[in-house]
């Protein structure tokens, strides 16, 4: 039987259904709706990854961290030997316009947003959580505001996978792997003894998003944009938002 994500439990579906609208709809790609998670929601996750907000590939998949950034995150998890024992969430369930990101960071503390987000964070993890990885300033603020964060879990703050500062990104992620390898045990089919990050981000540092993280029927190339990166055009994702109608149009290309 092929593995696939059967979706959230009834309890999580009810919780996700209570997501509050963003505080300023104009600051978000609001009409595309929310995207909530990727990975295990049953409390078995040993690492919680928190990032910023979903992108266009995430909207296609209906799962968090699936595009180029998500494939970098999967590579990060792979270096820890994790193949399944993780859950990926975001500070915002709606995609934020980059020009409004700093302003929306301040709105993470709005009462409705704070209460709902902390409820999601708390429900998604269990007693076996070993680490929380906050990727980027938005995620780090959301985690700072999480008053119920399990104190047994090591907190690591790193640059967002889409950071435009490759030196800071690699230095931060390399140090995080060094810190977490003694803390996070690998899955039975994982290996945490491979190379750490070098001085440049290589294709080997990516991993495809596992089929078990995606809904049934997802095409085989969803979550694996190696073919896009191999073209050498500078593009990294198979899904994009075209201007000027990026609020209502997505362009999704399949491999030729």
């Amino acid at each position: 039987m092929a593995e696939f994500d059967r979706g959230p439990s009834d309890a999580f579906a009810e919780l996700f259904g209570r997501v509050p609208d963003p505080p300023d709809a104009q600051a978000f790609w609001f009409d595309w709706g929310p995207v909530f998670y990727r990975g295990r929601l049953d409390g078995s996750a040993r690492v919680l990854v928190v990032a910023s907000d979903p992108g266009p590939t995430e909207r296609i998949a209906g799962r968090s961290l699936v595009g180029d950034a998500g494939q970098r995150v999967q590579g990060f998890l792979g270096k820890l030997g994790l193949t399944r024992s993780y859950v990926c969430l975001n500070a915002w369930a709606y995609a934020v316009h980059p020009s409004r990101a700093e302003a929306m960071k301040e709105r993470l503390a709005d009462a409705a947003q704070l209460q709902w987000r902390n409820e999601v964070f708390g429900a998604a993890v269990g007693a076996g959580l070993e680490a929380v990885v906050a990727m980027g300033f938005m995620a780090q603020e959301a985690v700072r505001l999480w008053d119920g964060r399990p104190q047994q879990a090591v907190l690591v703050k790193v640059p967002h996978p889409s950071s435009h500062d490759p030196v800071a990104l690699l230095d931060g992620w390399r140090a995080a792997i060094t810190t977490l390898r003694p803390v996070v045990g690998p899955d039975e089919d994982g290996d945490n003894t491979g190379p750490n990050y070098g001085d440049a981000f290589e294709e080997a540092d990516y991993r495809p998003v596992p089929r078990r993280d995606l809904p049934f029927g997802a095409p085989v190339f969803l979550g694996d944009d190696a073919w896009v990166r191999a073209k050498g055009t500078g593009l990294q994702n198979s899904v994009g938002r075209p201007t000027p109608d990026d609020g209502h149009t997505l362009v999704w290309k399949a491999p030729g």
Side-chain angles (χ1 to χ4, degrees):
M1 290 287 293
E3 290 188 279
F4 63 94
D5 181 6
R6 288 164 170 77
S9 66
D10 289 347
F12 267 103
E14 189 276 331
L15 176 55
F16 291 154
R18 291 192 275 110
V19 60
D21 287 347
D24 178 358
Q26 298 303 311
F28 294 79
W29 278 281
F30 178 68
D31 291 345
W32 288 109
V35 177
F36 297 106
Y37 78 100
R38 176 165 72 81
R40 316 287 81 76
L41 290 173
D42 60 1
S44 66
R46 286 184 283 113
V47 170
L48 165 62
V49 173
V50 181
S52 174
D53 61 302
T57 308
E58 285 70 31
R59 180 60 281 164
I60 293 288
R63 297 293 184 271
S64 298
L65 288 170
V66 174
D68 182 78
Q71 293 158 46
R72 286 186 171 192
V73 169
Q74 201 64 37
F76 180 95
L77 294 168
K79 290 180 188 295
L80 296 176
L82 294 180
T83 62
R84 65 184 70 232
S85 301
Y86 54 80
V87 61
C88 302
L89 304 172
N90 277 314
W92 291 104
Y94 289 86
V96 183
H97 288 283
S99 63
R100 302 295 304 278
E102 285 287 351
M104 290 304 102
K105 173 187 171 185
E106 304 304 318
R107 304 302 298 273
L108 289 169
D110 286 11
Q113 304 295 334
L114 180 64
Q115 180 178 350
W116 178 83
R117 186 179 62 250
N118 285 354
E119 189 175 353
V120 171
F121 284 6
V125 299
L129 187 70
E130 295 169 343
V132 176
V133 183
M135 296 188 161
F137 71 88
M138 194 81 80
Q140 289 161 19
E141 178 66 2
V143 171
R144 186 187 72 81
L145 293 167
W146 182 16
D147 56 12
R149 178 171 63 84
Q151 294 304 299
Q152 86 278 2
V154 173
L155 172 60
V156 175
K157 302 175 183 179
V158 297
H160 192 274
S162 297
S163 170
H164 296 297
D165 185 341
V167 174
L169 173 63
L170 286 164
D171 286 350
W173 283 32
R174 189 186 309 113
I177 293 299
T178 300
T179 297
L180 291 174
R181 276 180 168 170
V183 174
V184 177
D187 286 325
E188 290 183 359
D189 55 347
D191 178 13
N192 66 355
T193 64
N196 202 332
Y197 294 98
D199 296 328
F201 212 100
E202 307 289 349
E203 185 61 36
D205 295 319
Y206 287 88
R207 293 279 181 92
V209 174
R211 297 293 96 188
R212 67 175 66 94
D213 289 3
L214 298 171
F216 182 81
V220 295
F221 62 87
L222 183 61
D224 185 1
D225 290 314
W227 65 277
V228 180
R229 296 186 291 269
K231 290 178 179 291
T233 61
L235 296 176
Q236 295 175 297
N237 290 291
S238 59
V239 186
R241 296 187 179 100
T243 56
D245 192 33
D246 59 333
H248 301 94
T249 302
L250 295 179
V251 176
W252 186 16
K253 294 185 178 180

